[in-house]
Amino acid sequence: MKELKALVLAGGFGTRLRPLSCTRPKMLFPVANQPLLDWTLKNLSEGGVDTVILAVNYMAEALVRYLGPTKFDLGIIYSREERPLGTGGPIKKAADLLQNGGPFLVLNGDVISDIDYRRLVEFHRRKGGLATIALFQVPDPSRYGAVELDGEGRILRFVEKPEPGRAPSNLVNAGIYVLDPKVIDYIPEGRSVSTENEVFPVLAKEGALYGYEARGLWMDIGVPEDYLRANGLLLAKLDGVQVGEKSKVDSSAEVLPPSSIGAGVEVGANSVIGPNTSIADHVHIGRGCRIENSIIFPGATIGDYTSVRNAIIGENATLERWVKVESGSLIGDYAVIADGVTITQGVSICPSKRVEESILEPRQVM
Ligand code: GTP
């Protein structure tokens, strides 16, 4: 029987991907052409969760409109913050919904994982601690919180964003937790609280914090490189090439797997799309274009002979003709890149900006 609750942290701005948040919150960014939150909710539903509390602030209405009261067999309750409460404050705010019952899940909404929640909760119950953090092995822990475990699986200490060579292990906090309701008492009320910095270190000192080493797929989509990688991995899971309704791909164009093309998309003569590329609905791609390892948001226009490699193009953005966008660059919603311009090396263009000259070094264009 399902009776597990999950609080999903779906607020926050997502600083590095902000130029894409003009028309939608990060939780609704497409990953392999499905909103990020759909991947999370589906896995929660399969993992025995029956109720999701979605902690929202920025663009809350867009989330409510998209999800409504139920999805994937889950009841969805919205907990709206008047101002951002961080990663811990939303747990306190939803205390009435969480404190009468057994352990509950908390997860960062910008993480994609195929973790088995049943196993995680079972581990938590067996260990009998107050909190269990899911941990994943990563090759480079420097962007995450790395942990040191004892032989029993207790977390002894955290090192946030360790410098190279300073990490106690390659096991990092995945942003997925099981909490006993008593943890709510450790969270101060009425202000923004960081669970990682203010609550977990206290629990670790008390010997009440455990780490569960999970395996499988885990990614957060905080920076363009990770977002592109997540997109590629999930496209590979869907397998092959998908083309939505009313899309017209010219017979001389090629779509290389894995790739996903939404509905109402047009692809002109001799263009090559893919691999690892998702094109959302109503995107218009001209002739002779090359689009590879990239994410194109709905309604974008890609002019003739333009190439997009390892890049993200925002909603309704326009790349005119002979444009090149490459190497982790990000074009904000409604931006326009003029004929012949090259944008490369992690450049980020703000929404609605018109760019007439090439930019070849990392910078943010306001
Ligand atoms: P950066 O701005 O790039 O640091 O990203 P972020 O705002 O997403 O912050 P962080 O990585 O600390 O957030 C972890 C998770 O918590 C993400 O899924 C956020 O969406 C979510 N989150 C962050 N701040 C808040 C908040 O104030 N309220 C709620 N409800 N969720 C939040």
Side-chain angles (χ1 to χ4, degrees), residues 7-18 26-27 36 54-58 79-81 83-91 107-111 161 175 177 192-194 196 220-223:
L7 178 87
V8 176
L9 296 163
F13 295 117
T15 317
R16 284 282 309 275
L17 299 175
R18 194 79 194 272
K26 186 167 149 193
M27 303 304 140
L36 166 61
L54 209 64
V56 292
N57 50 59
Y58 179 67
S79 176
R80 293 165 202 251
E81 292 154 42
R83 57 200 161 83
L85 293 176
T87 51
I91 305 170
L107 48 139
N108 289 356
D110 58 356
V111 154
K161 303 193 170 59
Y177 320 118
S192 177
V193 178
S194 159
E196 303 85 326
D220 80 27
I221 67 154
V223 297

Side-chain angles (χ1 to χ4, degrees), residues 343 347-351 353-355 359 363-366:
I343 306 267
V347 171
S348 176
I349 308 289
C350 282
K353 180 84 193 159
R354 181 173 172 90
V355 178
I359 306 168
R363 85 184 155 94
Q364 188 160 17
V365 179
M366 309 290 279

Side-chain angles (χ1 to χ4, degrees), residues 116-156:
D116 185 333
Y117 290 112
R118 284 195 178 85
R119 282 197 173 174
L120 173 64
V121 174
E122 191 190 296
F123 173 94
H124 173 81
R125 290 187 197 273
R126 203 169 60 237
K127 291 294 179 182
L130 289 181
T132 300
I133 301 181
L135 307 170
F136 278 82
Q137 284 272 3
V138 295
D140 172 17
S142 64
R143 285 202 295 113
Y144 305 101
V147 304
E148 183 182 352
L149 293 177
D150 74 6
E152 296 292 308
R154 247 186 235 105
I155 294 181
L156 299 175

Side-chain angles (χ1 to χ4, degrees), residues 324-327 329 342-347 359-363:
K324 258 192 204 173
V325 183
E326 297 177 341
S327 308
S329 293
T342 296
I343 306 267
T344 188
Q345 300 298 343
V347 171
I359 306 168
L360 308 176
E361 56 192 35
R363 85 184 155 94

Side-chain angles (χ1 to χ4, degrees), residues 241 243 247-257 259 261 265-274 279 284-291:
V241 168
V243 179
S247 284
K248 284 188 223 147
V249 179
D250 189 274
S251 57
S252 63
E254 250 187 293
V255 185
L256 308 174
S259 288
I261 290 183
V265 172
E266 284 184 31
V267 180
N270 300 315
S271 286
V272 182
I273 313 291
I279 313 272
H284 187 281
I285 298 168
R287 52 174 51 231
C289 293
R290 184 75 186 89
I291 304 179

